[in-house]
Amino acid sequence: MEIPYEVKARRDTGLWNAKIGIWLFLASEVMLFGGLFSSYIFLRLGVEPGVDNPWPTDVQLVRYGFVNTLVLILSSVFVVFAWLAIKEGNWKKFQAWMAAVIACALLFLVLKGIEYNYKLSHHGMRLIDNSVVEGVVLDKTDRIRFEANTVTLDVTTGSTEFLNWIKKGENPEFQLKGEDGQLKNVGNVASWAKKMRRKTNRIIAASRSVRWKAKRKGHEPDPEALKPITRNYTLVSVEPFLVYADDARLSAYDDKVMNFVDGTKVTGKLLGDSIKFEVHEVDLQMIPTAKQDQALVWKLINDDAVKSGWNHARDEEIKKMEKYYLEDRGESVPDRQMSSRRVNVHGFHESGSDGHESAKSEGGHDKAKEVHGEHADAKQKGHDVGAEVELGSHGEIVIEVPRKQKKFLSNHGPAYGTYYAIYFTMTGLHGLHVIGGIVVLGYFLFFGKALFLKDPEHMANRVEVGGLFWHFVDLVWIFLFPVMYLF
Amino acid sequence: MSASTTTHDKSETGGDHHDHHNPPFWKKYLFSTDHKMIGLQYGFTALLFLAFGFFLMMVMRWSIAYPERPIPLLSELPWFQIWLDDEGKVTGELYNMFGAMHGTIMVFLGIVPLAFGAFGNYVTPLQVGAPDMAFPRLNMASYWCYFVGGVLMLISFFLPSGAAKVGWTSYSPLASMTDSNYSNIFWTGQTQWLLGMVFLITSSLLGAVNVLVTIINLRAPGLTWMRLPFFVWAMLVTGFLLLLAFPPLEVAAIMQLMDRVAGTSFYLPTDVLNNGVLMDAAGGGNPLLYQHLFWFLAHPEVYVLILPAFAIVSEIIPNNTRKPLFGYKTMVYSVMVLGFLSFIVWAHHMYMTGVGASVSTFFQTTTVLISVPSVILLTSMLISLWGGSIRFTVPMLFATAFIPMFGIGGLTGLPLAFNLIDLHLHDTYYVIGHFHYVVAPGTIFALFAGIYYWYPKQTGRMMNTFLGHLHFWPSLILMNGIFLPMFIQGMAGFHRRAFDGGKAYEQISSQVFLDGDSLVAKIFHGGEAIQMLDLNIIMSTSAWLLAISQIPFIINFFFSIRFGKKVDSDNPWDATTLEWATPTPPPHGNFAVEPVVYRGPYEYSVPGAESDFSPQNEPDAAGDTAEKEETV
Amino acid sequence: MVDSAEEIEKHKKAYWAVGIALLVFTGITVAVASFNFLDFGEPGVSAMDVAVGLAIATFKSTLVALIFMHLNHEKGLIYKILLFTCYFAFGMVILMVYSLWNPIHAAF
């Protein structure tokens, strides 16, 4: 049996099947990315000034996005030439063009990977008064460090949160006191917990059955069934082991005990919970200008010269606004610009490496040159006065933040605000489409010859369909690039 | 069309096909690319899921009717027991879990696959005269994506966290943070629900593309757009709805997945609390975003549920009234308008979320507008009955019952379109009653009608009429027994998610609905007044009896495969559409002879014709070939 | 469509031209966003910048769709499908933004 119109077009519609199919598929893709773009608009317009984090507009590595755009456009050009080559019946030429397309696609993914890696290795921290520091967490101090020796858990929950946070390389051996009072090794804790969960649930079920049956029949249940059932078990480690836990997964902790959200309890000794942070930038957008002098971050940095350097940079920004509006145009500075300006400036940059795009001011000033020039000034100042504070390996300021003063800490991954979330989601989904394209076009490149020899027109149709998909991936990027990188 | 289809002849079933190749079992039944086999796979899986969803509901109804009593039978199952409280009563957690999964399973794993997957797959290519779907392998992938999605949903019941518990709508922020205390967030019910949905959405997209291309490009010669059976039109619109409405849900699901797994705050506002503790999230998101994306799908989804029902009923009615479908063209245009409008009514689910006056005015207007094409469709079907010599076969019984049942469901929806009334009725049993009238005695009746109607095409045997009646009449009465009291309770203010059925609200629940003097109370309640809470018992009993009354159907379904009355021709119902022109059962490749269409789909009782039906592929007189040429 | 040799030659020229245009416009987009003297509207990202950026992106994507994806001589059916899609996509965006601009507390 053969499906009609697989290769030749139908007369009244003028189309072959796969052509309609791919366009319908692209229509649903339009809705997919339409949904994502409308989420982007919804989230961005929904930012409430003074409540939500301001939408960052200048945290991107523009040059990577720019090169990636060029790469993708080129691959789009190559794919039409691959199609033309197959129309001409030239398989060798087709292979050459198609190989170029796939090379471009791979280059795109590599650049994307570099970009992701850069983001994921930088951190930002919001303090309880909403002042923000950007930089890098040192020595894994984003975790709470704990030296533990016993663990208590309720096996019926089926959850062993503490296992996720045992420091890498630690290999604690757990023992359990048996009924005879002897300590026994439990082996793999996860599978032990699974086994105990099943066992305990069975015991509970059996006891319930006995009691309910007795109740139905109206006689006293077997006293065996009324015995309390052990759900909580305490495991003792032979050697103390290190637990480096994320505080989001803890419901409470003190010097001796860590309580995880799933009810697991770890006892031992707290080694430390303060966060060692290498400060690259200070961002006080969420704090009114008048109160910026009292911001918590200055107490932590504890250096007036750094503060004045930062203040200077901020005042420069305000002056520039006043020049633009008041002097040049005779208008009053709009509230929006004033507030965003005053709060937006976070000029303190101590790392000395100029590669950081994020050294620019936040809140809408992405004109790189100007900002860079201005910040060099602030940077210099900060550097001069920063000599007394604790310095990192490259001369950056390092602060020690007590955990209670931290509100939110994350790397610049998807968790760090809605902009990052939608950025990673959209570029990630786009990346998946690129990978899909590589698979399909790669299949044509390496396994398409048999069909080409049998039915070149069919093969040309396939390449056209694959090409249409590839152009669509390019088309999405054409919008993603300015939306994600430039505004 | 290729010549190979014509090599099949009617002896295909006899064993002729052994000649070219006899595919191994797994290729023939599991990984088949034949649209009919895939349709049957869809149908069987979906029926199993429907039964499972029904079972979940029966447990919930026990909790509603008898919140103070331990649940019988099930309390003996060890897996089940851990979800019960210490006395064997249904816990709120279990109720929530079953509630969420009842909705999900019924809508996404039961009705849509049965209506669009099974009937769309089986009937559409036959009715357009195609040898198969346009992309048979994609079709197979579609079924297996659906299967994987279903398996993920089922697995989630056995996880420590249980299955999803936050309602079938999975509203964030609750859904973003639920079960976050489990150490492995990936293996929790809600995460698996989202993953399952991603698979189901993929399956729907593949299926929709396939059905659309088949309808657009594989129509038989002479089958012009206005000669398409209404079934095909409805499938076309349903396909578009699935194709364009599902991606935003995919977006919503992916973003919720990110919220749960990657710690993003798409749906978490700034400084959101979880159990009174500040959540460790950046914030800045918006829960309304989820609702917008979800309802952008879920409203068209309601039409995905109902359009296949219209499709099936409008095939059965003309066949059994022996007269053309009334207003065929009007119905076609109505269904298109319905499809268009269904995309811009979604926020009527969101009146309570704080949308402003002008927004809700817009959505009220569009919602009221969309009732116009719906009413046109229903009225056309009703008028189609007028003056016909109706044969009350079993499919026709279900089809006729569909009309008033869907009518009740549709008309009770109108008040909900208005913001003012919705503020009172929102999240009450009234809404449950309205929706279930549309899908349960509405769509599911139509699906039963479809099964009874097309059963002889696949098996060559009719289903038993007596058992069919035994299935239909109790079902009709009991369906109303379940859903009619919901309107009364809903208007009295009963909230839909109360796991004790409203016992906590003594003031409302002790309201008397019928006093002791009334006839109903005298007969059914020993002369005592019937209170609002007593309605729970009526509804729950009806539900359990409804389960029992499905037994005749199950027996009938399997019994008739072997022992049903044999059909005497390929066209046992004397129908006009193309699927009856195939051999019984249709072989791989469907048609023995390439069909050519000469007439419209519903030419019953044409004056001057020899019989009271003129099949679409029956040449009229000379001269029709000219038209065929120009419309290929 | 593309069947004869000279047609293919003609296409090749068109494709190169479009490819170069796309590259150039990408450069323009970045230049407009990066250089101060090319800034539109107010300092920082303003509605004007977004409008200009999106206009260029739309122009670029139109080129891709029309030339690379052959929409310039496509069949009517494809246009119909895309028209439906655009209706739904724009409906979604516009109504979502509309509801954001008119929350209930704005009415009181």
mmCIF file of all heavy atoms in Angstrom, chain A residues 81-82 85-86 88 90-98, chain C residues 9 12:
data_model
loop_
_atom_site.group_PDB
_atom_site.id
_atom_site.type_symbol
_atom_site.label_atom_id
_atom_site.label_comp_id
_atom_site.label_asym_id
_atom_site.label_seq_id
_atom_site.Cartn_x
_atom_site.Cartn_y
_atom_site.Cartn_z
ATOM 1 N N PHE A 81 21.094 26.272 -0.108
ATOM 2 C CA PHE A 81 22.007 25.815 -1.172
ATOM 3 C C PHE A 81 22.086 24.289 -1.214
ATOM 4 O O PHE A 81 22.219 23.711 -2.287
ATOM 5 C CB PHE A 81 23.387 26.463 -1.000
ATOM 6 C CG PHE A 81 23.405 27.855 -1.538
ATOM 7 C CD1 PHE A 81 23.219 28.950 -0.710
ATOM 8 C CD2 PHE A 81 23.553 28.078 -2.902
ATOM 9 C CE1 PHE A 81 23.183 30.228 -1.215
ATOM 10 C CE2 PHE A 81 23.516 29.351 -3.415
ATOM 11 C CZ PHE A 81 23.327 30.441 -2.578
ATOM 12 N N ALA A 82 22.004 23.680 -0.032
ATOM 13 C CA ALA A 82 21.971 22.218 -0.013
ATOM 14 C C ALA A 82 20.751 21.723 -0.779
ATOM 15 O O ALA A 82 20.821 20.768 -1.560
ATOM 16 C CB ALA A 82 21.923 21.720 1.428
ATOM 17 N N ALA A 85 21.310 22.145 -4.433
ATOM 18 C CA ALA A 85 22.244 21.132 -4.935
ATOM 19 C C ALA A 85 21.507 19.841 -5.231
ATOM 20 O O ALA A 85 21.744 19.188 -6.245
ATOM 21 C CB ALA A 85 23.350 20.897 -3.912
ATOM 22 N N ILE A 86 20.586 19.491 -4.356
ATOM 23 C CA ILE A 86 19.884 18.229 -4.580
ATOM 24 C C ILE A 86 18.886 18.373 -5.726
ATOM 25 O O ILE A 86 18.618 17.434 -6.477
ATOM 26 C CB ILE A 86 19.234 17.747 -3.277
ATOM 27 C CG1 ILE A 86 19.319 16.227 -3.232
ATOM 28 C CG2 ILE A 86 17.789 18.164 -3.151
ATOM 29 C CD1 ILE A 86 19.254 15.674 -1.882
ATOM 30 N N GLU A 88 19.587 20.089 -8.291
ATOM 31 C CA GLU A 88 20.450 19.931 -9.461
ATOM 32 C C GLU A 88 20.877 18.491 -9.641
ATOM 33 O O GLU A 88 21.474 18.142 -10.650
ATOM 34 C CB GLU A 88 21.714 20.794 -9.301
ATOM 35 C CG GLU A 88 21.483 22.284 -9.501
ATOM 36 C CD GLU A 88 22.721 23.095 -9.134
ATOM 37 O OE1 GLU A 88 23.606 22.562 -8.414
ATOM 38 O OE2 GLU A 88 22.798 24.250 -9.546
ATOM 39 N N ASN A 90 23.066 16.931 -7.582
ATOM 40 C CA ASN A 90 24.479 16.821 -7.256
ATOM 41 C C ASN A 90 24.636 16.429 -5.788
ATOM 42 O O ASN A 90 24.578 17.262 -4.894
ATOM 43 C CB ASN A 90 25.160 18.174 -7.530
ATOM 44 C CG ASN A 90 26.650 18.063 -7.454
ATOM 45 O OD1 ASN A 90 27.188 17.173 -6.807
ATOM 46 N ND2 ASN A 90 27.322 18.976 -8.136
ATOM 47 N N TRP A 91 24.815 15.125 -5.554
ATOM 48 C CA TRP A 91 24.842 14.636 -4.174
ATOM 49 C C TRP A 91 26.063 15.128 -3.417
ATOM 50 O O TRP A 91 25.977 15.495 -2.254
ATOM 51 C CB TRP A 91 24.800 13.104 -4.173
ATOM 52 C CG TRP A 91 24.840 12.542 -2.793
ATOM 53 C CD1 TRP A 91 25.889 11.937 -2.188
ATOM 54 C CD2 TRP A 91 23.784 12.564 -1.824
ATOM 55 N NE1 TRP A 91 25.562 11.573 -0.905
ATOM 56 C CE2 TRP A 91 24.269 11.944 -0.661
ATOM 57 C CE3 TRP A 91 22.471 13.052 -1.837
ATOM 58 C CZ2 TRP A 91 23.484 11.791 0.491
ATOM 59 C CZ3 TRP A 91 21.695 12.900 -0.690
ATOM 60 C CH2 TRP A 91 22.205 12.276 0.450
ATOM 61 N N LYS A 92 27.230 15.167 -4.064
ATOM 62 C CA LYS A 92 28.461 15.614 -3.409
ATOM 63 C C LYS A 92 28.314 17.058 -2.903
ATOM 64 O O LYS A 92 28.671 17.380 -1.779
ATOM 65 C CB LYS A 92 29.624 15.519 -4.397
ATOM 66 C CG LYS A 92 30.196 14.117 -4.528
ATOM 67 C CD LYS A 92 31.312 13.916 -3.500
ATOM 68 C CE LYS A 92 31.807 12.483 -3.431
ATOM 69 N NZ LYS A 92 30.848 11.510 -2.957
ATOM 70 N N LYS A 93 27.781 17.892 -3.786
ATOM 71 C CA LYS A 93 27.615 19.289 -3.433
ATOM 72 C C LYS A 93 26.639 19.413 -2.263
ATOM 73 O O LYS A 93 26.860 20.180 -1.326
ATOM 74 C CB LYS A 93 27.065 20.035 -4.653
ATOM 75 C CG LYS A 93 27.595 21.441 -4.820
ATOM 76 C CD LYS A 93 27.314 21.895 -6.241
ATOM 77 C CE LYS A 93 26.905 23.335 -6.313
ATOM 78 N NZ LYS A 93 26.351 23.656 -7.636
ATOM 79 N N PHE A 94 25.585 18.616 -2.334
ATOM 80 C CA PHE A 94 24.599 18.622 -1.251
ATOM 81 C C PHE A 94 25.273 18.302 0.070
ATOM 82 O O PHE A 94 25.068 18.958 1.085
ATOM 83 C CB PHE A 94 23.496 17.608 -1.549
ATOM 84 C CG PHE A 94 22.696 17.209 -0.335
ATOM 85 C CD1 PHE A 94 21.697 18.042 0.147
ATOM 86 C CD2 PHE A 94 22.951 16.023 0.330
ATOM 87 C CE1 PHE A 94 20.966 17.690 1.265
ATOM 88 C CE2 PHE A 94 22.223 15.665 1.449
ATOM 89 C CZ PHE A 94 21.233 16.497 1.920
ATOM 90 N N GLN A 95 26.127 17.255 0.024
ATOM 91 C CA GLN A 95 26.791 16.848 1.261
ATOM 92 C C GLN A 95 27.665 17.959 1.814
ATOM 93 O O GLN A 95 27.676 18.203 3.025
ATOM 94 C CB GLN A 95 27.638 15.607 1.003
ATOM 95 C CG GLN A 95 26.822 14.338 1.131
ATOM 96 C CD GLN A 95 27.707 13.111 1.036
ATOM 97 O OE1 GLN A 95 28.573 13.044 0.181
ATOM 98 N NE2 GLN A 95 27.470 12.147 1.904
ATOM 99 N N ALA A 96 28.352 18.653 0.918
ATOM 100 C CA ALA A 96 29.230 19.729 1.378
ATOM 101 C C ALA A 96 28.426 20.821 2.067
ATOM 102 O O ALA A 96 28.744 21.266 3.170
ATOM 103 C CB ALA A 96 29.996 20.301 0.186
ATOM 104 N N TRP A 97 27.341 21.256 1.412
ATOM 105 C CA TRP A 97 26.529 22.328 2.007
ATOM 106 C C TRP A 97 25.930 21.877 3.336
ATOM 107 O O TRP A 97 25.913 22.608 4.314
ATOM 108 C CB TRP A 97 25.412 22.756 1.056
ATOM 109 C CG TRP A 97 25.859 23.613 -0.092
ATOM 110 C CD1 TRP A 97 25.775 23.294 -1.416
ATOM 111 C CD2 TRP A 97 26.432 24.924 -0.027
ATOM 112 N NE1 TRP A 97 26.277 24.315 -2.186
ATOM 113 C CE2 TRP A 97 26.689 25.333 -1.355
ATOM 114 C CE3 TRP A 97 26.773 25.771 1.007
ATOM 115 C CZ2 TRP A 97 27.245 26.557 -1.670
ATOM 116 C CZ3 TRP A 97 27.329 27.001 0.706
ATOM 117 C CH2 TRP A 97 27.569 27.388 -0.620
ATOM 118 N N MET A 98 25.427 20.662 3.331
ATOM 119 C CA MET A 98 24.751 20.187 4.533
ATOM 120 C C MET A 98 25.742 20.050 5.690
ATOM 121 O O MET A 98 25.426 20.358 6.833
ATOM 122 C CB MET A 98 24.078 18.836 4.236
ATOM 123 C CG MET A 98 22.924 18.504 5.146
ATOM 124 S SD MET A 98 21.807 19.886 5.427
ATOM 125 C CE MET A 98 20.330 19.338 4.665
ATOM 126 N N GLU C 9 20.152 29.221 -11.022
ATOM 127 C CA GLU C 9 21.147 30.292 -10.947
ATOM 128 C C GLU C 9 20.532 31.558 -10.371
ATOM 129 O O GLU C 9 21.118 32.245 -9.542
ATOM 130 C CB GLU C 9 21.736 30.562 -12.342
ATOM 131 C CG GLU C 9 22.764 29.531 -12.794
ATOM 132 C CD GLU C 9 23.848 29.294 -11.748
ATOM 133 O OE1 GLU C 9 24.419 30.288 -11.252
ATOM 134 O OE2 GLU C 9 24.113 28.118 -11.407
ATOM 135 N N LYS C 12 20.072 31.251 -6.716
ATOM 136 C CA LYS C 12 21.313 31.347 -5.956
ATOM 137 C C LYS C 12 21.637 32.805 -5.667
ATOM 138 O O LYS C 12 21.990 33.160 -4.546
ATOM 139 C CB LYS C 12 22.468 30.708 -6.749
ATOM 140 C CG LYS C 12 22.517 29.202 -6.604
ATOM 141 C CD LYS C 12 23.716 28.632 -7.323
ATOM 142 C CE LYS C 12 23.696 27.120 -7.220
ATOM 143 N NZ LYS C 12 24.632 26.491 -8.143
#
